[in-house]
Amino acid sequence: YYAMVELIDDQFGRIMAALEDTGQLENTLVIFTSDHGELMGDHGIYWKGCYFYEGLVRVPLIVSQPGHFQPHRSDALVELHDLAPAILEIAGIEVPDRMQAKSLLPILKGETDHHRDHVLCEYYRALGHAPLDANGTMLFDGRYKVCVYHESDPGELYDLQADPGEFDNLWDRPEY
């Protein structure tokens, strides 16, 4: 795993160096992200699947365009599809009204650190060959995460403020 991380780091560094060496860095929008994380044995799971633990759903998102955005860190709740309208705006292209995503540009410009009140994550039969061909939906508001697995019970409810490791499932506790 560490070798794979180092490989990506080295290759990404080569790309950035090439952009800088050729004078293209300031005119290039660079986005570094991933479609999912890795559990690496967390919760006894080594493979991806219909799970919504932080190790899988909280992915890196680094956006850079030197000369256009000041470097800063944001803990705003965002969804990866929010990149699309931001890219269109940066390119000077009108964002279609039918687009459901919300542009990240105000965050990138440092105008706000709030983007969404909650984020949604869905998994629908993504691994047709897997023994458990599940469907699931997760909603997270920055503190509470609820996970519903369609066609099965029980679900999951976590308070990530009190339980960042997601070990105490509150699903069956009426007070929550």
Side-chain angles (χ1 to χ4, degrees):
Y1 177 77
Y2 291 117
M4 289 189 298
V5 171
E6 185 176 4
L7 172 69
I8 296 299
D9 188 49
D10 289 347
Q11 298 309 310
F12 191 73
R14 287 181 60 214
I15 293 169
M16 296 302 290
L19 289 171
E20 189 168 0
D21 292 347
T22 59
Q24 299 178 79
L25 187 58
E26 288 195 17
N27 194 31
T28 302
L29 176 66
V30 177
I31 300 171
F32 183 90
T33 190
S34 175
D35 62 337
H36 63 80
E38 298 293 338
L39 286 171
M40 303 298 298
D42 294 349
H43 299 276
I45 303 167
Y46 288 93
W47 303 103
K48 66 181 178 180
C50 191
Y51 311 109
F52 299 104
Y53 295 116
E54 289 293 280
L56 278 178
V57 299
R58 185 176 292 265
V59 298
L61 176 58
I62 301 170
V63 181
S64 173
Q65 191 175 23
H68 296 270
F69 312 128
Q70 293 299 314
H72 68 280
R73 179 187 170 111
S74 173
D75 290 324
L77 295 174
V78 303
E79 297 176 345
L80 290 179
H81 72 176
D82 293 334
L83 284 167
I87 293 168
L88 291 174
E89 288 178 343
I90 291 166
I93 300 171
E94 186 174 338
V95 178
D97 289 337
R98 67 185 177 276
M99 188 171 274
Q100 296 177 357
K102 184 178 176 186
S103 175
L104 296 174
L105 202 53
I107 294 174
L108 298 176
K109 289 181 174 181
E111 296 170 354
T112 185
D113 199 32
H114 180 268
H115 187 67
R116 292 181 174 278
D117 293 331
H118 62 272
V119 291
L120 178 73
C121 186
E122 299 173 303
Y123 183 99
Y124 290 103
R125 300 192 194 282
L127 296 174
H129 65 280
L132 178 60
D133 193 18
N135 298 307
T137 305
M138 179 271 290
L139 187 71
F140 178 57
D141 70 0
R143 177 174 180 178
Y144 293 100
K145 179 188 289 186
V146 63
C147 308
V148 176
Y149 300 97
H150 311 290
E151 303 146 8
S152 67
D153 281 325
E156 294 171 303
L157 174 63
Y158 297 105
D159 176 350
L160 269 68
Q161 182 176 323
D163 176 28
E166 298 171 288
F167 292 108
D168 188 17
N169 186 359
L170 307 171
W171 182 264
D172 289 323
R173 298 190 194 165
E175 64 270 25
Y176 287 93

